[in-house]
Amino acid sequence: MQKYWIGNSGCSVNLPAEQADTEFSLDADGNKVYITKATQQQNGVEYQFYIAVLQLHDEDADANEKLQEFADYIKSTQLIADAAGYRKINNLVRGKMAKGISDTWTDQNGTEYQVTGWAKGRTLALMYVAGEKPYPSSAQLNGFFNSFQFPSAF
């Protein structure tokens, strides 16, 4: 796993493969959106590591609700057919005040998604690993999800 910066967001994450270029855009509300990906082969299966960072103009009072809305939006772009349901989590190593959610999704083609999202202040992050089968190394998967770092002065 190697640390990569997510564009100019001030956020970083550890990835098991080289990241592709980070895409930057503004959403309909003018919030900054950064998307980065990496692809890795494991036991003949291709896995996509995906991170989307949304930086809001103002801090949202209910970060979990905003994070779920963000996850629902990403879910709608992936043709998800089934989801287990969001579970609240609060164990980000480098973000003690961060709130989180996790879920598992399956799309119409049978691709499985292991999903985690983090929210702190004005920054929301949605991360997933997608492949034909669940990712084989839970230690590496947890290392990816728990490596997310928020900007230091955000």
Side-chain angles (χ1 to χ4, degrees), residues 24-34 53-57 66 70 73:
F24 170 78
S25 63
L26 297 174
D27 70 5
D29 297 324
N31 298 310
K32 296 177 181 178
V33 181
Y34 300 87
V53 174
L54 176 66
Q55 292 181 327
L56 305 170
H57 289 297
K66 196 69 172 173
F70 185 43
Y73 169 74

PDB file of all heavy atoms in Angstrom, residues 24-34 53-57 66 70 73:
ATOM      1  N   PHE A  24     -11.390  16.405 -11.331  1.00  0.00           N
ATOM      2  CA  PHE A  24     -11.951  17.470 -10.514  1.00  0.00           C
ATOM      3  C   PHE A  24     -13.138  18.076 -11.246  1.00  0.00           C
ATOM      4  O   PHE A  24     -13.109  18.269 -12.453  1.00  0.00           O
ATOM      5  CB  PHE A  24     -10.914  18.571 -10.251  1.00  0.00           C
ATOM      6  CG  PHE A  24     -11.507  19.797  -9.611  1.00  0.00           C
ATOM      7  CD1 PHE A  24     -11.802  19.808  -8.261  1.00  0.00           C
ATOM      8  CD2 PHE A  24     -11.802  20.923 -10.371  1.00  0.00           C
ATOM      9  CE1 PHE A  24     -12.366  20.931  -7.673  1.00  0.00           C
ATOM     10  CE2 PHE A  24     -12.359  22.049  -9.781  1.00  0.00           C
ATOM     11  CZ  PHE A  24     -12.644  22.057  -8.432  1.00  0.00           C
ATOM     12  N   SER A  25     -14.212  18.375 -10.480  1.00  0.00           N
ATOM     13  CA  SER A  25     -15.368  19.055 -11.052  1.00  0.00           C
ATOM     14  C   SER A  25     -16.105  19.781  -9.933  1.00  0.00           C
ATOM     15  O   SER A  25     -15.771  19.647  -8.761  1.00  0.00           O
ATOM     16  CB  SER A  25     -16.303  18.055 -11.742  1.00  0.00           C
ATOM     17  OG  SER A  25     -16.814  17.124 -10.795  1.00  0.00           O
ATOM     18  N   LEU A  26     -17.091  20.541 -10.318  1.00  0.00           N
ATOM     19  CA  LEU A  26     -17.993  21.182  -9.372  1.00  0.00           C
ATOM     20  C   LEU A  26     -19.360  20.545  -9.534  1.00  0.00           C
ATOM     21  O   LEU A  26     -19.794  20.297 -10.664  1.00  0.00           O
ATOM     22  CB  LEU A  26     -18.080  22.691  -9.627  1.00  0.00           C
ATOM     23  CG  LEU A  26     -16.780  23.479  -9.447  1.00  0.00           C
ATOM     24  CD1 LEU A  26     -16.977  24.929  -9.871  1.00  0.00           C
ATOM     25  CD2 LEU A  26     -16.290  23.409  -8.018  1.00  0.00           C
ATOM     26  N   ASP A  27     -20.046  20.268  -8.425  1.00  0.00           N
ATOM     27  CA  ASP A  27     -21.388  19.709  -8.533  1.00  0.00           C
ATOM     28  C   ASP A  27     -22.394  20.831  -8.801  1.00  0.00           C
ATOM     29  O   ASP A  27     -22.020  22.003  -8.928  1.00  0.00           O
ATOM     30  CB  ASP A  27     -21.751  18.866  -7.303  1.00  0.00           C
ATOM     31  CG  ASP A  27     -21.967  19.672  -6.042  1.00  0.00           C
ATOM     32  OD1 ASP A  27     -21.944  20.920  -6.085  1.00  0.00           O
ATOM     33  OD2 ASP A  27     -22.161  19.043  -4.979  1.00  0.00           O
ATOM     34  N   ALA A  28     -23.674  20.486  -8.887  1.00  0.00           N
ATOM     35  CA  ALA A  28     -24.720  21.465  -9.207  1.00  0.00           C
ATOM     36  C   ALA A  28     -24.795  22.589  -8.183  1.00  0.00           C
ATOM     37  O   ALA A  28     -25.239  23.695  -8.504  1.00  0.00           O
ATOM     38  CB  ALA A  28     -26.066  20.757  -9.316  1.00  0.00           C
ATOM     39  N   ASP A  29     -24.352  22.326  -6.942  1.00  0.00           N
ATOM     40  CA  ASP A  29     -24.370  23.343  -5.889  1.00  0.00           C
ATOM     41  C   ASP A  29     -23.058  24.114  -5.790  1.00  0.00           C
ATOM     42  O   ASP A  29     -22.890  24.943  -4.897  1.00  0.00           O
ATOM     43  CB  ASP A  29     -24.682  22.693  -4.533  1.00  0.00           C
ATOM     44  CG  ASP A  29     -26.067  22.062  -4.510  1.00  0.00           C
ATOM     45  OD1 ASP A  29     -26.985  22.632  -5.135  1.00  0.00           O
ATOM     46  OD2 ASP A  29     -26.215  21.008  -3.873  1.00  0.00           O
ATOM     47  N   GLY A  30     -22.120  23.813  -6.674  1.00  0.00           N
ATOM     48  CA  GLY A  30     -20.832  24.507  -6.655  1.00  0.00           C
ATOM     49  C   GLY A  30     -19.824  23.928  -5.678  1.00  0.00           C
ATOM     50  O   GLY A  30     -18.782  24.531  -5.431  1.00  0.00           O
ATOM     51  N   ASN A  31     -20.101  22.739  -5.112  1.00  0.00           N
ATOM     52  CA  ASN A  31     -19.162  22.080  -4.209  1.00  0.00           C
ATOM     53  C   ASN A  31     -18.069  21.382  -5.027  1.00  0.00           C
ATOM     54  O   ASN A  31     -18.322  20.893  -6.125  1.00  0.00           O
ATOM     55  CB  ASN A  31     -19.886  21.043  -3.342  1.00  0.00           C
ATOM     56  CG  ASN A  31     -20.935  21.666  -2.463  1.00  0.00           C
ATOM     57  OD1 ASN A  31     -20.687  22.639  -1.768  1.00  0.00           O
ATOM     58  ND2 ASN A  31     -22.139  21.112  -2.498  1.00  0.00           N
ATOM     59  N   LYS A  32     -16.865  21.315  -4.463  1.00  0.00           N
ATOM     60  CA  LYS A  32     -15.744  20.666  -5.145  1.00  0.00           C
ATOM     61  C   LYS A  32     -15.871  19.146  -5.041  1.00  0.00           C
ATOM     62  O   LYS A  32     -16.148  18.611  -3.968  1.00  0.00           O
ATOM     63  CB  LYS A  32     -14.423  21.102  -4.521  1.00  0.00           C
ATOM     64  CG  LYS A  32     -14.136  22.570  -4.687  1.00  0.00           C
ATOM     65  CD  LYS A  32     -12.844  22.953  -3.978  1.00  0.00           C
ATOM     66  CE  LYS A  32     -12.579  24.433  -4.121  1.00  0.00           C
ATOM     67  NZ  LYS A  32     -11.353  24.830  -3.402  1.00  0.00           N
ATOM     68  N   VAL A  33     -15.641  18.458  -6.168  1.00  0.00           N
ATOM     69  CA  VAL A  33     -15.696  16.997  -6.221  1.00  0.00           C
ATOM     70  C   VAL A  33     -14.390  16.485  -6.829  1.00  0.00           C
ATOM     71  O   VAL A  33     -13.986  16.931  -7.898  1.00  0.00           O
ATOM     72  CB  VAL A  33     -16.883  16.505  -7.071  1.00  0.00           C
ATOM     73  CG1 VAL A  33     -16.929  14.978  -7.098  1.00  0.00           C
ATOM     74  CG2 VAL A  33     -18.204  17.076  -6.574  1.00  0.00           C
ATOM     75  N   TYR A  34     -13.739  15.565  -6.128  1.00  0.00           N
ATOM     76  CA  TYR A  34     -12.507  14.933  -6.594  1.00  0.00           C
ATOM     77  C   TYR A  34     -12.770  13.433  -6.678  1.00  0.00           C
ATOM     78  O   TYR A  34     -13.289  12.837  -5.731  1.00  0.00           O
ATOM     79  CB  TYR A  34     -11.364  15.159  -5.607  1.00  0.00           C
ATOM     80  CG  TYR A  34     -11.027  16.613  -5.373  1.00  0.00           C
ATOM     81  CD1 TYR A  34     -11.703  17.354  -4.410  1.00  0.00           C
ATOM     82  CD2 TYR A  34     -10.020  17.236  -6.111  1.00  0.00           C
ATOM     83  CE1 TYR A  34     -11.391  18.686  -4.182  1.00  0.00           C
ATOM     84  CE2 TYR A  34      -9.707  18.563  -5.882  1.00  0.00           C
ATOM     85  CZ  TYR A  34     -10.388  19.284  -4.921  1.00  0.00           C
ATOM     86  OH  TYR A  34     -10.081  20.601  -4.688  1.00  0.00           O
ATOM     87  N   VAL A  53     -14.332  12.425  -3.220  1.00  0.00           N
ATOM     88  CA  VAL A  53     -14.282  13.396  -2.129  1.00  0.00           C
ATOM     89  C   VAL A  53     -15.147  14.581  -2.523  1.00  0.00           C
ATOM     90  O   VAL A  53     -14.995  15.130  -3.616  1.00  0.00           O
ATOM     91  CB  VAL A  53     -12.836  13.859  -1.845  1.00  0.00           C
ATOM     92  CG1 VAL A  53     -12.811  14.974  -0.814  1.00  0.00           C
ATOM     93  CG2 VAL A  53     -11.984  12.684  -1.391  1.00  0.00           C
ATOM     94  N   LEU A  54     -16.055  14.970  -1.639  1.00  0.00           N
ATOM     95  CA  LEU A  54     -16.925  16.120  -1.845  1.00  0.00           C
ATOM     96  C   LEU A  54     -16.610  17.133  -0.758  1.00  0.00           C
ATOM     97  O   LEU A  54     -16.647  16.805   0.432  1.00  0.00           O
ATOM     98  CB  LEU A  54     -18.393  15.701  -1.760  1.00  0.00           C
ATOM     99  CG  LEU A  54     -19.448  16.799  -1.849  1.00  0.00           C
ATOM    100  CD1 LEU A  54     -19.445  17.458  -3.221  1.00  0.00           C
ATOM    101  CD2 LEU A  54     -20.829  16.227  -1.548  1.00  0.00           C
ATOM    102  N   GLN A  55     -16.236  18.349  -1.153  1.00  0.00           N
ATOM    103  CA  GLN A  55     -15.958  19.407  -0.185  1.00  0.00           C
ATOM    104  C   GLN A  55     -17.061  20.451  -0.288  1.00  0.00           C
ATOM    105  O   GLN A  55     -17.202  21.132  -1.307  1.00  0.00           O
ATOM    106  CB  GLN A  55     -14.571  20.007  -0.427  1.00  0.00           C
ATOM    107  CG  GLN A  55     -13.497  18.984  -0.090  1.00  0.00           C
ATOM    108  CD  GLN A  55     -12.091  19.480  -0.261  1.00  0.00           C
ATOM    109  OE1 GLN A  55     -11.804  20.284  -1.131  1.00  0.00           O
ATOM    110  NE2 GLN A  55     -11.192  18.975   0.579  1.00  0.00           N
ATOM    111  N   LEU A  56     -17.846  20.538   0.781  1.00  0.00           N
ATOM    112  CA  LEU A  56     -19.006  21.416   0.829  1.00  0.00           C
ATOM    113  C   LEU A  56     -18.596  22.859   1.105  1.00  0.00           C
ATOM    114  O   LEU A  56     -17.569  23.117   1.727  1.00  0.00           O
ATOM    115  CB  LEU A  56     -19.956  20.945   1.934  1.00  0.00           C
ATOM    116  CG  LEU A  56     -20.419  19.487   1.857  1.00  0.00           C
ATOM    117  CD1 LEU A  56     -21.143  19.110   3.134  1.00  0.00           C
ATOM    118  CD2 LEU A  56     -21.298  19.276   0.643  1.00  0.00           C
ATOM    119  N   HIS A  57     -19.445  23.799   0.658  1.00  0.00           N
ATOM    120  CA  HIS A  57     -19.219  25.218   0.974  1.00  0.00           C
ATOM    121  C   HIS A  57     -19.285  25.448   2.477  1.00  0.00           C
ATOM    122  O   HIS A  57     -18.488  26.166   3.050  1.00  0.00           O
ATOM    123  CB  HIS A  57     -20.281  26.105   0.315  1.00  0.00           C
ATOM    124  CG  HIS A  57     -20.142  26.200  -1.166  1.00  0.00           C
ATOM    125  ND1 HIS A  57     -19.040  26.744  -1.783  1.00  0.00           N
ATOM    126  CD2 HIS A  57     -20.964  25.813  -2.168  1.00  0.00           C
ATOM    127  CE1 HIS A  57     -19.201  26.697  -3.088  1.00  0.00           C
ATOM    128  NE2 HIS A  57     -20.352  26.135  -3.351  1.00  0.00           N
ATOM    129  N   LYS A  66     -25.898  13.717   5.193  1.00  0.00           N
ATOM    130  CA  LYS A  66     -25.290  14.218   3.959  1.00  0.00           C
ATOM    131  C   LYS A  66     -24.427  13.132   3.310  1.00  0.00           C
ATOM    132  O   LYS A  66     -24.431  12.967   2.090  1.00  0.00           O
ATOM    133  CB  LYS A  66     -24.451  15.464   4.259  1.00  0.00           C
ATOM    134  CG  LYS A  66     -24.105  16.248   3.047  1.00  0.00           C
ATOM    135  CD  LYS A  66     -25.328  16.905   2.463  1.00  0.00           C
ATOM    136  CE  LYS A  66     -24.950  17.847   1.344  1.00  0.00           C
ATOM    137  NZ  LYS A  66     -26.102  18.376   0.646  1.00  0.00           N
ATOM    138  N   PHE A  70     -24.870  11.440  -0.375  1.00  0.00           N
ATOM    139  CA  PHE A  70     -23.755  11.339  -1.312  1.00  0.00           C
ATOM    140  C   PHE A  70     -23.582   9.889  -1.773  1.00  0.00           C
ATOM    141  O   PHE A  70     -23.427   9.615  -2.975  1.00  0.00           O
ATOM    142  CB  PHE A  70     -22.488  11.876  -0.643  1.00  0.00           C
ATOM    143  CG  PHE A  70     -21.271  11.959  -1.524  1.00  0.00           C
ATOM    144  CD1 PHE A  70     -21.338  12.441  -2.816  1.00  0.00           C
ATOM    145  CD2 PHE A  70     -20.031  11.587  -1.030  1.00  0.00           C
ATOM    146  CE1 PHE A  70     -20.198  12.541  -3.612  1.00  0.00           C
ATOM    147  CE2 PHE A  70     -18.890  11.685  -1.810  1.00  0.00           C
ATOM    148  CZ  PHE A  70     -18.975  12.158  -3.107  1.00  0.00           C
ATOM    149  N   TYR A  73     -26.250   8.918  -4.193  1.00  0.00           N
ATOM    150  CA  TYR A  73     -25.990   9.460  -5.529  1.00  0.00           C
ATOM    151  C   TYR A  73     -24.984   8.565  -6.271  1.00  0.00           C
ATOM    152  O   TYR A  73     -25.210   8.180  -7.427  1.00  0.00           O
ATOM    153  CB  TYR A  73     -25.467  10.894  -5.459  1.00  0.00           C
ATOM    154  CG  TYR A  73     -24.953  11.347  -6.809  1.00  0.00           C
ATOM    155  CD1 TYR A  73     -25.843  11.661  -7.836  1.00  0.00           C
ATOM    156  CD2 TYR A  73     -23.588  11.383  -7.069  1.00  0.00           C
ATOM    157  CE1 TYR A  73     -25.373  12.010  -9.091  1.00  0.00           C
ATOM    158  CE2 TYR A  73     -23.119  11.741  -8.319  1.00  0.00           C
ATOM    159  CZ  TYR A  73     -24.014  12.054  -9.322  1.00  0.00           C
ATOM    160  OH  TYR A  73     -23.556  12.394 -10.566  1.00  0.00           O
TER     161      TYR A  73
END
